[in-house]
């Protein structure tokens, strides 16, 4: 018992040191302290793209539904460049929504602006009629793998239990319930047998499954994943999509940044197609038209249409 208490306190003291030393940490990052938060260095926005005007914004009767995320006139500037211009869309619960577009289109920037991780130059993002950035305790966010410090001295169990810190409180022991939730989350993604393994020793697919488990332990209303399918194996991709479907059946909001127009796109219910401007938003069938894809990608695009 003495060793367990000592290890627990040491773990939290170390986390607090990290949080206090990163001046960009905000409320959301209290559960994502293993992330490399130099987000601006990762945004590839300096490449000039041809200007396009939005041609199809599929209006919905749910635009004012407070259970949805409502994005209105959202703009983001990066130095002298416009990363996003006047984006208007809705992200509905119970739907798997994908953000698609070419490199430098602002896909990750849109997600980060929604969560307050990059400053917006205009517009607002509301959830249940209140700014989403004031409700980050309802959000589980998994960043791109290249924004995570895989040398961070933590085991798989440590990382997954980070998802329970907000509900537990700092310098408080995790409850039996929290530990059970973490075990069930690891079981769900097939990673419980790796609980004592250092996170940096895992494969890319295994690491992604651990962060999916951590997101599940947060028991959030909104799940945001930035490029979760990059550098992973087919087994992990299948597990991730299965979990996404389970979350949508629970009427959760599930938002995913993705770039693959192959067969995996058929898993998505709704799409947001960007190229700095909003090209189209709505159901997959409404968005995936030849005209919209030509505007977004600037030429002939081959995609999986089924």
């Amino acid at each position: 018992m003495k060793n367990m208490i000592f290890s627990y306190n040491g773990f939290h003291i170390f986390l607090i040191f990290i949080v206090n030393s990163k001046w960009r940490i905000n409320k959301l990052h209290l559960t994502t302290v293993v992330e490399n938060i130099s987000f601006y260095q990762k945004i590839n926005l300096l490449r000039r793209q041809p200007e396009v005007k939005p041609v199809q914004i599929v209006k919905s009767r749910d635009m004012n539904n407070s259970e949805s995320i409502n994005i209105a006139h959202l703009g983001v500037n990066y130095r002298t460049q416009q990363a996003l211009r006047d984006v208007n869309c809705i992200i509905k619960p119970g739907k798997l929504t994908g953000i698609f577009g070419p490199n430098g289109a602002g896909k990750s920037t849109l997600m980060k602006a929604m969560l307050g991780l990059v400053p917006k130059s205009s517009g607002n993002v509301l959830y249940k009629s209140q700014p989403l950035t004031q409700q980050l305790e309802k959000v589980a966010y998994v960043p791109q793998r290249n924004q995570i410090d895989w040398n961070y001295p933590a085991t798989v169990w440590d990382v997954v239990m980070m998802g329970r810190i907000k509900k537990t409180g700092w310098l408080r022991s995790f409850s039996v319930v929290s530990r059970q939730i973490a075990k069930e989350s690891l079981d769900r993604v097939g990673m419980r047998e790796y609980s004592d393994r250092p996170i940096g020793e895992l494969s890319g697919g295994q690491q992604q499954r651990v962060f999916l488990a951590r997101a599940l332990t947060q028991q959030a209303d909104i799940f945001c994943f930035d490029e979760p399918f990059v550098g992973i194996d087919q087994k992990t991709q299948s597990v991730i999509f299965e979990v996404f479907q389970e979350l949508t059946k629970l009427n959760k909001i599930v938002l995913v940044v993705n770039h693959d127009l192959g067969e995996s796109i058929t898993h998505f219910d709704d799409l947001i197609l960007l190229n700095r401007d909003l090209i189209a938003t709505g159901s997959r069938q409404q968005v995936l038209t030849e005209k919209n894809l030509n505007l977004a990608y600037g030429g002939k695009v081959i995609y999986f249409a089924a």
Side-chain angles (χ1 to χ4, degrees), residues 35 56 85 99 105 128 178 216 231 266 289 306:
E35 296 162 20
Q56 182 184 0
R85 292 184 282 253
I99 305 175
K128 295 187 175 180
S178 286
L216 293 175
T266 60
T289 67

Side-chain angles (χ1 to χ4, degrees), residues 173-193:
S173 297
F174 293 115
S175 68
V176 173
V177 172
S178 286
R179 293 179 183 276
Q180 184 60 33
I181 290 171
K183 290 176 183 177
E184 291 173 358
S185 298
L186 282 170
D187 283 337
R188 178 63 194 87
V189 300
M191 290 298 295
R192 188 168 173 183
E193 63 182 289

Side-chain angles (χ1 to χ4, degrees), residues 25-279:
I25 294 290
N26 61 19
K27 291 182 181 178
L28 181 65
H29 292 90
L30 293 179
T31 58
T32 57
V33 292
V34 297
E35 296 162 20
N36 177 348
I37 58 173
S38 300
F39 293 113
Y40 292 93
Q41 298 175 4
K42 304 295 182 182
I43 302 175
N44 180 20
L45 297 174
L46 296 179
R47 186 184 306 167
R48 293 189 177 273
Q49 299 283 344
E51 289 197 11
V52 295
K53 295 184 181 298
V55 297
Q56 182 184 0
I57 300 177
V58 181
K59 298 294 184 179
S60 169
R61 291 179 297 178
D62 298 321
M63 281 298 288
N64 295 317
N65 184 348
S66 64
E67 296 297 318
S68 302
I69 296 177
N70 290 277
I71 301 174
H73 306 293
L74 182 66
V76 176
N77 292 336
Y78 180 67
R79 297 180 182 173
T80 60
Q81 299 290 319
Q82 282 188 305
L84 290 173
R85 292 184 282 253
D86 195 33
V87 173
N88 298 273
C89 61
I90 183 172
I91 303 164
K92 293 177 280 190
K95 301 284 188 181
L96 178 55
T97 301
I99 305 175
F100 284 78
N103 291 336
K107 301 184 297 295
S108 296
T109 301
L110 174 58
M111 180 173 285
K112 292 173 183 177
M114 289 170 53
L115 301 177
L117 299 178
V118 296
K120 60 183 186 295
S121 58
S122 63
N124 56 69
V125 180
L126 301 181
Y127 175 63
K128 295 187 175 180
S129 303
Q130 298 296 323
L132 179 58
T133 51
Q134 296 178 10
Q135 307 174 75
L136 295 179
E137 71 280 357
K138 300 176 182 177
V139 177
Y141 169 62
V142 177
Q144 294 183 27
R145 289 184 61 253
N146 62 7
Q147 293 177 349
I148 295 171
D149 180 8
W150 298 111
N151 294 318
Y152 187 87
T155 65
V156 167
W157 180 255
D158 293 334
V159 171
V160 174
M161 289 305 295
M162 288 177 189
R164 299 300 299 172
I165 290 177
K166 277 188 179 180
K167 294 184 182 296
T168 301
W170 290 92
L171 298 178
R172 296 181 61 187
S173 297
F174 293 115
S175 68
V176 173
V177 172
S178 286
R179 293 179 183 276
Q180 184 60 33
I181 290 171
K183 290 176 183 177
E184 291 173 358
S185 298
L186 282 170
D187 283 337
R188 178 63 194 87
V189 300
M191 290 298 295
R192 188 168 173 183
E193 63 182 289
Y194 297 89
S195 293
D196 297 326
R197 187 80 61 87
I199 189 69
E201 294 182 4
L202 302 179
S203 68
Q206 290 171 332
Q207 290 170 341
Q208 197 67 32
R209 279 189 272 163
V210 170
F211 271 77
L212 175 59
R214 189 193 68 169
L216 293 175
T217 65
Q218 292 180 244
Q219 297 183 310
D221 296 324
I222 301 166
F223 291 82
C224 297
F225 298 86
D226 194 351
E227 296 280 12
F229 303 111
V230 172
I232 65 172
D233 53 276
Q234 187 63 43
K235 178 181 178 181
T236 297
Q237 178 173 298
S238 297
V239 169
I240 292 174
F241 273 124
E242 287 172 5
V243 172
F244 286 174
Q245 293 301 324
E246 292 169 6
L247 291 172
T248 59
K249 289 179 181 178
L250 294 172
N251 209 39
K252 304 293 186 179
I253 290 176
V254 185
L255 181 64
V256 180
V257 172
N258 198 15
H259 67 273
D260 183 14
L261 293 176
E263 185 175 356
S264 65
I265 201 171
T266 60
H267 290 280
F268 291 89
D269 302 303
D270 291 347
L271 300 179
I272 299 169
L273 184 60
L274 294 174
N275 192 346
R276 301 198 183 187
D277 294 294
L278 178 65
I279 305 300

